[in-house]
């Protein structure tokens, strides 16, 4: 049933006969986590609007659920086999809510703690978080009671830097405060709300086990989790989060990575700083970044041959004064970057090497040049997606976007994929 829903309603908010309303009592009693699914639907989900993220996860429309006095924005509902497995509430995120001052942010944290204490009936315990595990500073509290558990994570940057040694006049330099996110996880027990940190990475053998080979020659990676960036300009942190989760580090989510990427709600991650940001992020975790193609090299090798052909055809020429792909003619671009079989073979060969090793490829593109197999919410401009497979015989690429259900596994010709590429990168486990 969920697969059918995902295909038919991939990009739309859906209404299911399955009450929204306040679920605080159900969380306190543990009733929310009890199946079967039909009873849960009838008791808690009638009239709830949602968008499927994947076969097991719904993104609920704001206001569909309330949690006592807890401020709730986006809510992610994860299904188990026949019950709700967990609920994640985004109390605040920079991408959705914009910048807030420190006092306002800390008040939201205190209000969330008070609301969770009221829901659970117990006092919280502070959980020590290692920045090496999450990449960003996270303050964490946990509530555990007989019939449930809750966890609050709050992250912001801009506190005092490390003080100088005693005796020095300047004991620290104040940096600009920036709120990142406040999130709450609810589950039936403490184990259900645990996050996988940097030390929870999978083995290379496990990655190899994710490789699937179809009878038509398609080779692809199974088990790449979907992360839905929503309307935020978070394609880079969302894509990185998917790779990290695939490697077992599911606690390093898009909100944490957005802090490290310097991503914002409106502008996303700037193309100029994207590669430097990814390199900096990888230094914080047990991974390394491999650059297959970078934007600067692509542009420098593209402009001259493209302009020669454009001049012959009477088409607009590229210039370094504006993003070259913005004026690219689809047919000319295809001729220059993938007009020869050897070009496509070489481009696809690099993909094959890393997919065969169990690693997805981060793929930076310019949208709007070629027609997409499935309509996408972004019609033009830079975007990052994930290559998860290939077919050498058909000369096609299997890719995925961080836009939820319907975007998990799509196909494009390798020639068009090569032509629209503005960067390719691989994150490898150390």
């Amino acid at each position: 049933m969920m697969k059918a829903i995902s295909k038919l309603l991939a990009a739309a908010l859906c209404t299911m006969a399955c009450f929204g309303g306040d679920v605080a009592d159900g969380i306190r009693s543990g009733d929310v986590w009890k199946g079967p699914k039909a009873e849960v639907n009838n008791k808690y989900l009638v009239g709830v609007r949602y968008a499927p993220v994947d076969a097991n996860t719904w993104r609920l429309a704001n206001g569909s659920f309330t949690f006592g006095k807890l401020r709730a924005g986006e809510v992610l509902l994860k299904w188990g086999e026949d019950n709700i497995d967990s609920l994640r509430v985004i109390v605040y995120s920079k991408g959705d809510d914009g910048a807030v001052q420190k006092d306002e942010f800390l008040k939201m944290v205190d209000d969330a703690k008070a609301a969770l204490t009221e829901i659970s009936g117990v006092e919280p315990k502070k959980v020590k978080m290692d920045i090496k595990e999450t990449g960003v500073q996270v303050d964490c509290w946990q509530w555990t009671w007989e019939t449930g558990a809750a966890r609050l994570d709050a992250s912001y940057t801009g506190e005092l830097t490390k003080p100088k040694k005693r005796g020095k006049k300047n004991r620290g330099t104040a940096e600009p405060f920036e709120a990142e996110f406040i999130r709450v996880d609810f589950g039936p027990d403490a184990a259900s709300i645990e996050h996988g940190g940097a030390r929870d990475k999978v083995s290379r053998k496990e990655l190899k086990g994710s490789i699937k080979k179809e009878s038509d020659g398609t080779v692809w990676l199974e088990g790449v989790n979907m992360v839905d960036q929503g309307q935020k300009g978070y394609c880079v942190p969302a894509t990185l989060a998917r790779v990290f989760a695939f490697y077992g580090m599911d606690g390093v989510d898009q909100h944490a990575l957005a802090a490290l990427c310097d991503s914002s709600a409106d502008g996303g991650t700037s193309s100029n700083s994207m590669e430097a940001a990814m390199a900096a992020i990888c230094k914080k975790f047990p991974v390394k970044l491999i650059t297959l193609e970078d934007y600067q090299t692509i542009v420098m090798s593209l402009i001259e041959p493209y302009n020669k052909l454009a001049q012959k055809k009477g088409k607009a020429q590229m210039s370094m004064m504006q993003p070259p792909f913005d004026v690219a003619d689809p047919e000319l671009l295809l001729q220059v970057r993938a007009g020869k079989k050897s070009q496509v073979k070489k481009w696809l060969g690099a993909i094959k090497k890393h997919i065969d090793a169990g690693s997805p490829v981060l793929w930076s593109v310019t949208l709007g040049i070629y027609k997409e197999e499935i309509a996408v919410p972004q019609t033009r401009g830079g975007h990052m997606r994930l290559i998860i497979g290939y077919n050498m015989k058909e000369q096609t690429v299997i890719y995925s976007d961080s836009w939820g259900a319907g975007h998990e596994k799509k196909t494009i010709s390798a020639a068009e994929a090569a032509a629209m590429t503005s960067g390719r990168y691989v994150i490898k486990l150390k």
Side-chain angles (χ1 to χ4, degrees):
M1 177 182 176
M2 285 306 301
K3 288 184 179 179
I5 290 173
S6 296
K7 289 180 180 179
L8 293 173
L9 305 173
L13 278 174
C14 315
T15 301
M16 231 183 131
C18 59
F19 125 30
D22 194 273
V23 295
D25 288 343
I27 289 174
R28 183 186 302 110
S29 67
D31 194 45
V32 165
W33 319 116
K34 299 175 182 177
K37 184 181 289 188
E39 287 186 15
V40 175
N41 283 345
N42 291 330
K43 188 166 186 177
Y44 293 107
L45 298 173
V46 172
V48 168
R49 294 185 302 128
Y50 73 95
V53 175
D54 56 35
N56 300 311
T57 309
W58 292 356
R59 179 160 55 90
L60 308 184
N62 287 11
S64 292
F65 269 3
T66 55
F67 302 79
K69 296 177 182 177
L70 181 69
R71 182 182 190 270
E74 178 182 276
V75 177
L76 295 175
L77 182 155
K78 196 169 190 65
W79 287 103
E81 186 173 340
D82 197 31
N83 62 289
I84 297 177
D85 186 66
S86 63
L87 287 162
R88 169 166 285 188
V89 180
I90 306 301
V91 175
Y92 163 84
S93 81
K94 176 176 64 177
D96 285 320
D97 303 306
V100 296
Q101 297 299 312
K102 182 177 180 179
D103 288 347
E104 182 180 355
F105 179 80
L106 294 180
K107 184 180 185 305
M108 282 193 284
V109 173
D110 288 340
D111 288 347
K113 289 168 64 179
L116 293 171
T117 298
E118 185 173 324
I119 289 172
S120 65
V122 298
E123 292 296 322
K125 292 183 178 180
K126 187 73 184 292
V127 178
K128 186 177 181 180
M129 296 292 293
D130 188 344
I131 195 170
K132 293 180 180 179
E133 290 289 289
T134 60
V136 294
Q137 181 64 46
V138 178
D139 292 337
C140 176
W141 296 266
Q142 187 163 315
W143 292 255
T144 306
W145 62 102
E146 188 176 347
T147 52
R151 170 182 171 134
L152 170 66
D153 293 329
S155 179
Y156 57 93
T157 56
E159 285 302 271
L160 293 179
T161 57
K162 187 176 181 180
K164 293 184 178 182
K165 292 181 179 179
R166 183 175 297 179
K168 299 289 184 178
K169 290 183 179 180
N170 184 0
R171 297 189 179 277
T173 303
E175 297 177 347
F177 172 85
E178 187 167 12
E180 298 297 342
F181 62 84
I182 304 169
R183 67 187 176 210
V184 174
D185 288 309
F186 291 107
D189 50 44
S192 66
I193 57 173
E194 288 182 355
H195 300 164
R199 282 191 289 262
D200 297 309
K201 60 183 181 178
V202 301
S203 67
R204 289 184 174 87
K205 184 178 180 181
E206 288 174 294
L207 291 180
K208 285 275 191 176
S210 300
I211 301 171
K212 303 300 174 184
K213 298 181 179 180
E214 308 290 353
S215 59
D216 66 352
T218 298
V219 180
W220 64 288
L221 299 176
E222 186 179 53
V224 178
N225 293 357
M226 173 54 71
V227 172
D228 190 348
Q229 71 183 80
Q231 299 302 310
K232 299 180 287 297
Y234 273 18
C235 63
V236 174
T239 303
L240 287 169
R242 298 181 70 188
V243 176
F244 276 57
F246 183 62
Y247 289 162
M249 298 180 282
D250 61 347
V252 189
D253 73 356
Q254 64 173 320
H255 299 285
L257 292 173
L260 299 173
C261 278
D262 192 24
S263 295
S264 63
D266 50 359
T269 306
S270 69
S271 57
N272 292 333
S273 63
M274 181 187 68
E275 290 162 6
M278 287 197 297
I281 286 170
C282 289
K283 288 180 180 178
K284 294 179 177 290
F285 299 99
V287 298
K288 61 180 178 180
L289 179 68
I290 298 172
T291 300
L292 305 182
E293 294 181 280
D294 66 84
Y295 179 78
Q296 191 67 26
T297 302
I298 289 172
V299 170
M300 295 305 293
S301 64
L302 170 64
I303 288 182
E304 184 177 347
Y306 180 91
N307 284 347
K308 284 183 179 180
L309 187 58
Q311 189 174 26
K312 289 181 182 179
K313 301 290 185 179
K315 301 283 186 177
Q317 297 184 35
M318 292 180 172
S319 168
M320 291 299 291
M321 300 301 293
Q322 60 179 318
F325 286 97
D326 285 1
V327 299
D329 177 86
E331 291 302 319
L332 297 189
L333 192 63
L334 201 61
Q335 288 183 52
V336 172
R337 304 200 70 191
K340 299 177 182 178
K341 289 184 179 180
S342 59
Q343 289 176 297
V344 179
K345 184 179 179 180
K346 181 179 179 181
W347 190 90
L348 196 53
I351 299 295
K352 180 182 185 301
K353 173 185 174 182
H354 293 288
I355 297 297
D356 288 352
S359 295
V361 177
L362 291 93
W363 180 31
S364 181
V365 302
T366 299
L367 296 176
I369 299 176
Y370 301 106
K371 185 178 180 181
E372 298 280 337
E373 177 189 25
I374 296 173
V376 298
Q378 182 181 334
T379 57
R380 189 75 186 189
H383 177 59
M384 178 165 279
R385 50 192 14 160
L386 208 54
I387 294 176
I388 60 170
Y390 65 87
N391 187 310
M392 296 300 290
K393 181 181 178 181
E394 300 293 334
Q395 297 282 279
T396 55
V397 166
I398 314 301
Y399 68 101
S400 181
D401 282 308
S402 56
W403 283 316
H407 299 281
E408 304 96 332
K409 187 183 178 187
K410 303 183 286 187
T411 303
I412 188 173
S413 74
E416 289 186 350
M420 68 194 293
T421 297
S422 54
R424 286 186 298 166
Y425 316 87
V426 178
I427 294 175
K428 289 281 189 181
L429 288 172
K430 289 183 179 179

